[in-house]
Amino acid sequence: MIIVAIQVLAISIERTIQESKKFEEANIQLKAANQMLFESIEHIKELYQSVNILTNQGNKDGILKLSFEHIKRITKTNVVFYYDIENSGIMISPENNYLLKLINEHILKGMNNFLQSKTSLEVNILDSKFLIMHVGGNYNTYGLLGVEVNDNTESTIYINNAYQLQFISELISNAFERLTFEEVNEKLSVTEEQNRIANDIHDGVLQKLFSIS
């Protein structure tokens, strides 16, 4: 009985130690995630302000370049890229490596899934894992934004990165839509001015013809 009790006690102690280790690991991961969350909020606020300023006097390339810098700081990723659907599927990224070619092939194969999904999708290429998110508004599809992730699917950091990628994709979509609306408004303003000048010339010619007659 004493031996059995000792064995049961030893098993109980071992389980307690294992559970304690799990709690410690979870606590460490939670602290890291919280720290990352606070940093991400500051970076996202900075990105939001910068994009708003750049939208008024910039272009899509400028917005993407600015976004890449912030995305790397927010998600702690090693690789970030943008697949430009509007521009014949050109891959835009600060990096230029073999992985981008493989990512391009995966995107072409699963294009419909990426465009229809409202959340980020995971793609595994070689030993790397990527999250890819659709960038587009209600009426336009602009491209796909992706980042490399190093954590497992159930980790808090992975989940945070997925939410961050979705938010940044929506922010870029809104910025692109504003640029599109501004371009349309500018074209309409030019057309209205052209019509006004044409009407003035037309009225002037009619007056001269009337005077001559």
Side-chain angles (χ1 to χ4, degrees), residues 54-66:
L54 192 60
T55 302
N56 296 327
Q57 52 188 8
N59 51 38
K60 290 183 179 179
D61 290 338
I63 290 173
L64 286 174
K65 184 177 179 181
L66 177 68

Side-chain angles (χ1 to χ4, degrees), residues 10-177:
I11 293 172
S12 177
I13 292 173
E14 185 178 353
R15 288 180 178 175
T16 303
I17 292 172
Q18 290 177 354
E19 290 179 358
S20 178
K21 288 182 179 179
K22 289 181 180 179
F23 282 127
E24 287 178 4
E25 291 175 358
N27 191 34
I28 292 171
Q29 191 179 69
L30 185 60
K31 286 181 178 178
N34 285 337
Q35 181 64 30
M36 184 177 178
L37 183 61
F38 288 130
E39 292 177 0
S40 298
I41 291 173
E42 293 302 317
H43 290 319
I44 287 173
K45 284 167 60 179
E46 184 182 345
L47 174 61
Y48 181 77
Q49 294 170 354
S50 301
V51 167
N52 277 338
I53 294 171
L54 192 60
T55 302
N56 296 327
Q57 52 188 8
N59 51 38
K60 290 183 179 179
D61 290 338
I63 290 173
L64 286 174
K65 184 177 179 181
L66 177 68
S67 299
F68 286 162
E69 295 174 2
H70 286 279
I71 289 170
K72 282 199 164 188
R73 285 191 284 169
I74 291 168
T75 62
K76 311 296 183 186
T77 186
N78 295 321
V79 179
V80 57
F81 61 88
Y82 178 77
Y83 182 88
D84 193 349
I85 294 177
E86 285 189 316
N87 198 11
S88 303
I90 292 177
M91 290 286 288
I92 303 172
S93 174
E95 294 78 24
N96 184 14
N97 53 37
Y98 179 65
L99 265 178
L100 292 177
K101 296 180 181 178
L102 298 179
I103 294 170
N104 192 16
E105 294 175 2
H106 276 71
I107 288 175
L108 291 175
K109 290 179 182 178
M111 181 64 73
N112 291 333
N113 293 331
F114 291 121
L115 296 180
Q116 293 173 3
S117 177
K118 295 182 179 180
T119 59
S120 58
L121 297 179
E122 184 181 303
V123 172
N124 294 296
I125 302 173
L126 298 179
D127 296 328
S128 301
K129 187 162 45 179
F130 299 89
L131 286 176
I132 300 177
M133 182 71 199
H134 168 231
V135 177
N138 296 325
Y139 306 104
N140 294 321
T141 297
Y142 301 107
L144 300 171
L145 182 66
V147 297
E148 183 182 8
V149 289
N150 299 316
D151 298 274
N152 60 66
T153 308
E154 297 178 356
S155 73
T156 306
I157 295 175
Y158 181 98
I159 295 171
N160 283 344
N161 283 343
Y163 281 123
Q164 290 158 353
L165 181 64
Q166 183 172 354
F167 177 83
I168 294 171
S169 298
E170 292 174 358
L171 180 60
I172 294 174
S173 298
N174 292 335
F176 284 178
E177 284 188 347

